[in-house]
Amino acid sequence: MTNPKLNRVLIGVGGGIAAYKICELVSTLFKTGVEVRVILTRSAQEFITPLTIATLSRHPAYTDDDFWKPTHSRPLHIGLGEWADVMVIAPLTANTLAKLAYGMADNLLTNTVLASTCPVLLAPAMNTDMWEQLSVQRNWQQLLLDSRYHGMNTASGLLACDRIGAGRLAEPPEILAHIQSLLHTQGKRDLAGKRVLISAGGTREFLDPVRFIGNPSTGKMGLALAQAALHRGANVTLVHGPANWDVPLGVQAIPVVSAEQMQQAMLEYLPNADVIVMSAAVADVKPRDYSTEKLPKRSLPQALPLEPVPDIVAQLAQHKQPYQILIGFAAQTGNIVKPALEKLQSKKLDAIVANPIDQPDSGFGSDNNQAIFLDRQGNQVAIAPCSKLEMAHYLFDFAIT
C-alpha cells in the first residue's frame, strides 16, 4: 500500500543482532515504491554495513560521521526529520529507548527523532532479561504515552543468546504492514479504546474425518482487517477458520473449524465488542450425517443429505446493541450491488462490503481486493483494486470514522 503524498519512510537501525532483518524490510519497501532512507547508529554498523543498506535502498546510508561533517546546506537531522512521513526504529535497543524516553539527543538518530513530527514506529528487540527489566519497561510505557510513538510487541521464541522468551524483533512482514497502515492513517488512532471483533476464513463441515464441505477462503481479508484495527489502536479479537498465516502480535486469536464453532465464539465475544466485522466465508450447508470413521469410497452416498448451518450474521444482528456497529461481507459474481443491498436490509446490518470474486486478482486467496461499500443511510463507495490491508483501512474510514 502506498500513498503518492505519503511515501517516504526513514528507518533508524539500532545495534543488535536483529539488525540483519532490516535488510529485508528495506528491500521490500523499495520494491513497493516507497522512498527509503536509513540511519545506522554506530553500533548498528557492527552488524550490517552502510554499503549493504545503500545497495538495497538505492541511496547512501546515513551515519554519525555524516552528522558531524560540516555542510553548507541545512543541518542533516533537520532535513531528514522534515523529509520523513513515517519513521521506524528497528531494532529498538534498550539504550536508544532510554534516550527517547528522556528526550536525549546525542547522535544522528535521536536528534532526527526530536527534529521531526511524523509518526514513529518502534520495534524493540533484546535479550529477555533486558526486556523485562523494570527500568526498560518503565521507559517503554513512558514513551508510548506520547501519541507520536506506535509500539510493536516483541515476539517470543529462541533468541540469539540461546534464551527462550520474549524480546524477539517482530518479523519484517509484520513491520511492513504497520508501516503501510501508518502511511494511510498518518498515525491517527481513531479506534483507540474500541473493541473490534472480526471473523475470518472459511469454515469446514465434515462428512467424515477426511472429507468436508468448504470454500476457497484463505482468511487474508480478515487478517488485514485485524491488522488495520490493531494499528488504529483497537483491542482486536479474531475468530478464524483454518488458516496458513500467523496471527499478528497483540491480536487475540480464537481458532475454529465449523460454522457451529464460529457461531459460539462470535456470540460469546459479541457483548464486549464495539465493532463487529463478519468477513468469514461461512459454509451454507453441512452433511446431515457425520461418520466418526472414514467412509469407504463405495459407501459414499450418491445424493448427500444436507442441512443448513447457523446464520451467524443474522444472529449477531438480533443480539447486537444500538451502540454496536455490525459490518457484513457479500462475496458475489456478476451484479454485486443488488444482492448486497438485499443482505444489508434482511440481516439488519449497519454496512456491507459487496465483494466481486469473479474479477482477476480479487477475492478468495488474492493479496488484493476490490469492492463497493454500502450502508443503511444509502451511501455507496467504490474501492478500486488495492491491497487487502488498504481496503481494510478504507472500510474503517467508511463505516467507523
Side-chain angles (χ1 to χ4, degrees):
M1 179 200 321
T2 59
N3 183 320
K5 296 181 180 179
L6 295 170
N7 63 351
R8 296 175 296 188
V9 175
L10 177 62
I11 300 177
V13 185
I17 186 61
Y20 79 92
K21 293 184 178 181
I22 306 307
C23 296
E24 177 185 343
L25 178 64
V26 171
S27 177
T28 304
L29 279 169
F30 177 83
K31 291 174 183 177
T32 61
V34 174
E35 194 173 358
V36 188
R37 301 287 183 269
V38 180
I39 296 174
L40 293 174
T41 63
R42 196 169 300 280
S43 56
Q45 295 173 67
E46 299 294 329
F47 298 92
I48 54 177
T49 68
L51 177 59
T52 299
I53 291 298
T55 302
L56 296 174
S57 67
R58 280 63 164 186
H59 191 278
Y62 296 103
T63 69
D64 283 348
D65 290 339
D66 300 307
F67 186 38
W68 301 114
K69 285 180 180 177
T71 176
H72 296 291
S73 61
R74 302 179 69 216
L76 180 58
H77 64 293
I78 303 296
L80 288 174
E82 294 178 350
W83 174 86
D85 297 308
V86 170
M87 284 191 66
V88 182
I89 303 179
L92 173 69
T93 63
N95 185 46
T96 299
L97 170 60
K99 292 177 182 179
L100 295 177
Y102 287 93
M104 297 175 61
D106 65 348
N107 60 13
L108 176 57
L109 175 58
T110 51
N111 272 275
T112 302
V113 171
L114 294 186
S116 65
T117 59
C118 65
V120 181
L121 179 61
L122 305 171
M126 63 193 75
N127 165 269
T128 302
D129 291 327
M130 295 175 66
W131 175 242
E132 294 178 349
Q133 287 291 327
L134 180 61
S135 57
V136 172
Q137 287 301 308
R138 181 189 63 230
N139 290 341
W140 178 244
Q141 296 303 324
Q142 177 179 323
L143 194 57
L144 294 182
L145 292 175
D146 187 332
S147 61
R148 279 192 67 201
Y149 295 103
H150 300 255
M152 299 194 68
N153 292 312
T154 62
S156 295
L158 178 64
L159 306 181
C161 59
D162 292 329
R163 175 72 185 274
I164 297 177
R168 285 175 59 92
L169 181 71
E171 292 301 315
E174 194 161 353
I175 300 175
L176 175 65
H178 209 139
I179 293 171
Q180 292 171 328
S181 288
L182 290 174
L183 288 172
H184 181 96
T185 65
Q186 301 179 52
K188 67 181 178 183
R189 289 188 179 92
D190 50 0
L191 292 179
K194 300 291 185 180
R195 293 160 296 186
V196 178
L197 174 62
I198 300 167
S199 70
T203 59
R204 297 178 178 180
E205 308 301 331
F206 280 82
L207 171 64
D208 64 17
V210 299
R211 301 181 179 95
F212 62 85
I213 296 175
N215 57 63
S217 175
T218 59
K220 289 182 178 180
M221 190 66 238
L223 170 64
L225 287 161
Q227 290 174 318
L230 180 71
H231 299 161
R232 294 168 85 132
N235 184 326
V236 182
T237 299
L238 179 64
V239 178
H240 66 87
N244 190 29
W245 35 256
D246 295 327
V247 175
L249 296 171
V251 170
Q252 180 183 14
I254 312 295
V256 298
V257 175
S258 68
E260 184 176 356
Q261 292 171 344
M262 182 169 285
Q263 172 198 32
Q264 293 172 351
M266 293 297 289
L267 290 175
E268 178 182 351
Y269 287 92
L270 174 65
N272 293 322
D274 299 294
V275 181
I276 307 97
V277 187
M278 191 70 193
S279 70
V282 182
D284 296 306
V285 294
K286 67 178 181 179
R288 187 188 65 193
D289 304 311
Y290 173 74
S291 173
T292 57
E293 297 182 354
K294 180 184 176 182
L295 294 170
K297 187 175 181 179
R298 64 179 179 275
S299 299
L300 292 175
Q302 292 297 311
L304 183 63
L306 301 173
E307 62 184 21
V309 302
D311 189 335
I312 301 176
V313 72
Q315 293 184 4
L316 294 174
Q318 290 176 3
H319 290 87
K320 90 175 190 74
Q321 300 300 312
Y323 68 87
Q324 294 177 309
I325 297 173
L326 177 59
I327 305 169
F329 271 66
Q332 300 289 342
T333 59
N335 182 355
I336 64 174
V337 173
K338 182 178 178 181
L341 280 172
E342 292 174 351
K343 185 174 181 179
L344 175 71
Q345 298 299 329
S346 66
K347 307 294 185 184
K348 299 180 180 179
L349 305 176
D350 296 296
I352 194 166
V353 178
N355 192 196
I357 58 173
D358 56 352
Q359 298 299 313
D361 199 20
S362 177
F364 294 140
S366 174
D367 292 328
N368 300 314
N369 214 344
Q370 56 184 299
I372 298 176
F373 301 157
L374 308 99
D375 65 18
R376 294 186 67 83
Q377 290 70 46
N379 298 309
Q380 292 189 22
V381 174
I383 304 299
C386 61
S387 73
K388 287 186 173 177
L389 179 59
E390 191 166 10
M391 177 161 288
H393 280 295
Y394 283 135
L395 178 57
F396 287 127
D397 291 341
F398 174 80
I400 308 300
T401 58

